[in-house]
């Protein structure tokens, strides 16, 4: 089984809808991250969490919110989706003290 | 403002050739420089990483060259193979930011047989 899983893998929605993307990890890591990937822009950090009680904004947090339900679960929500939030979204985890981040398979989100 | 700039955006190399991807950074507080490899439909995966106390790190066919004074680092893929065709991202982070990665724009590498 994959160490970092994301659901759904693909989602098409309409402008104004609320969307939740979910991430789970079995690696036992304390740190979790949400990124979005856009062509020509690389990956940009949306939110990150060092533990259940520690949530931090990344460089592009506007229009997004997150919830760290447990050490292993980190959800990303779009309260009112807009077309320019169409992108590939990745969850990642790492343990404190190391540099390597482990990425999930991604969620492709299309907002019409 | 992109703190890590990557070039080229795309690269086509013949099998057996050398692929070179370059990155430049601005923040001198960065102290960890990884390269990630991403295949279509997959998440990025760590390929190789370097810290600024060394100027070069080699793992198999992959080498990172690091120039601290120029604030640049590069990935060299020797004897490039079609299986190396992927998107490559350079990144940087600093210990004090808790492993937050700042990524470059990405390079799509195609190795022709």
């Amino acid at each position: 089984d994959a160490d970092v899983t994301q659901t759904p893998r693909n989602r098409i929605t309409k402008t104004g809808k609320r969307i939740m993307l979910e991430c789970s990890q079995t690696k036992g890591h304390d740190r979790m991250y949400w990124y979005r990937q856009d062509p020509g822009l690389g990956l940009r950090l949306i939110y990150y969490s060092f533990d259940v009680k520690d949530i931090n904004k990344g460089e592009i947090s506007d229009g997004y919110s997150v919830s760290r339900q447990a050490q292993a679960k980190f959800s990303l929500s779009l309260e009112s989706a807009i077309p320019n939030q169409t992108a590939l979204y990745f969850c990642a985890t790492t343990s404190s003290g190391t540099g390597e981040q482990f990425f999930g398979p991604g969620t492709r989100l299309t907002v019409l | 403002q992109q703190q890590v700039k990557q070039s080229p955006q795309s690269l086509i190399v013949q099998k057996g050739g050398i692929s070179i991807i370059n990155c430049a950074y601005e923040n001198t507080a960065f102290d960890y420089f990884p390269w990630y490899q991403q295949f279509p439909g997959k998440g990025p995966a760590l390929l190789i990483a370097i810290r600024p106390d060394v100027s070069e790190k080699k793992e198999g066919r992959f080498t990172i060259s690091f120039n601290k004074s120029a604030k640049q680092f590069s990935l060299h893929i020797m004897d490039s193979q079609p299986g190396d065709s992927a998107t490559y991202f350079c990144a940087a982070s600093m210990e004090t930011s808790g492993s937050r990665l700042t990524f470059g724009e990405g390079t799509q590498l195609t190795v022709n047989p």
Side-chain angles (χ1 to χ4, degrees), chain B residues 87-108:
Chain B
T87 300
Y88 293 81
F89 294 96
C90 63
S93 72
M94 61 187 90
E95 181 69 25
T96 54
S97 74
S99 305
R100 289 177 53 183
L101 289 172
T102 299
F103 283 88
E105 298 93 332
T107 296
Q108 186 166 350

Side-chain angles (χ1 to χ4, degrees), chain B residues 30-73:
Chain B
F30 286 142
D31 57 10
Y32 175 69
F33 302 89
W35 284 89
Y36 280 78
Q37 180 188 53
Q38 183 184 30
F39 293 105
K42 305 291 185 182
L46 180 66
L47 180 64
I48 186 172
I50 196 168
R51 296 195 183 270
D53 52 342
V54 295
S55 61
E56 185 175 282
K57 183 174 182 180
K58 183 176 180 179
E59 291 184 0
R61 297 184 294 108
F62 301 90
T63 299
I64 299 178
S65 296
F66 184 79
N67 186 329
K68 188 174 182 178
S69 61
K71 294 188 289 185
Q72 295 176 345
F73 58 110

Side-chain angles (χ1 to χ4, degrees), chain A:
Chain A
D1 289 342
D3 294 322
V4 184
T5 57
Q6 292 183 235
T7 56
R9 293 295 312 278
N10 290 282
R11 182 71 183 268
I12 300 174
T13 191
K14 295 182 178 180
T15 297
K17 294 292 187 180
R18 184 179 187 274
I19 296 296
M20 179 180 285
L21 309 183
E22 298 184 334
C23 176
S24 295
Q25 53 106 352
T26 59
K27 298 188 75 68
H29 290 167
D30 50 0
R31 300 180 179 186
M32 298 187 74
Y33 307 79
W34 275 104
Y35 295 91
R36 67 175 278 176
Q37 182 178 357
D38 298 277
L41 295 178
L43 290 93
R44 293 178 292 166
L45 183 63
I46 306 172
Y47 270 95
Y48 61 104
S49 170
F50 288 170
D51 64 40
V52 174
K53 297 181 180 179
D54 182 46
I55 304 290
N56 303 279
K57 292 182 177 180
E59 57 184 304
I60 54 164
S61 59
D62 288 348
Y64 301 94
S65 62
V66 291
S67 174
R68 185 83 182 263
Q69 300 96 325
Q71 186 197 32
K73 296 183 181 295
F74 193 34
S75 300
L76 176 71
S77 293
L78 288 67
E79 296 301 325
S80 179
I82 56 176
N84 77 359
Q85 291 177 315
T86 293
L88 195 52
Y89 290 84
F90 287 100
C91 172
T93 75
T94 190
S95 62
S96 58
T98 71
E100 181 174 6
Q101 291 191 13
F102 296 85
F103 284 80
T107 294
R108 184 168 296 280
L109 177 66
T110 302
V111 183
L112 301 176

Side-chain angles (χ1 to χ4, degrees), chain B residues 6-33:
Chain B
Q6 182 173 345
S7 63
Q9 185 175 4
S10 63
L11 180 63
I12 300 175
V13 174
Q14 292 300 118
K15 178 182 176 182
I18 302 174
S19 304
I20 301 174
I21 305 171
N22 300 299
C23 282
Y25 63 96
E26 299 173 3
N27 190 340
T28 56
F30 286 142
D31 57 10
Y32 175 69
F33 302 89

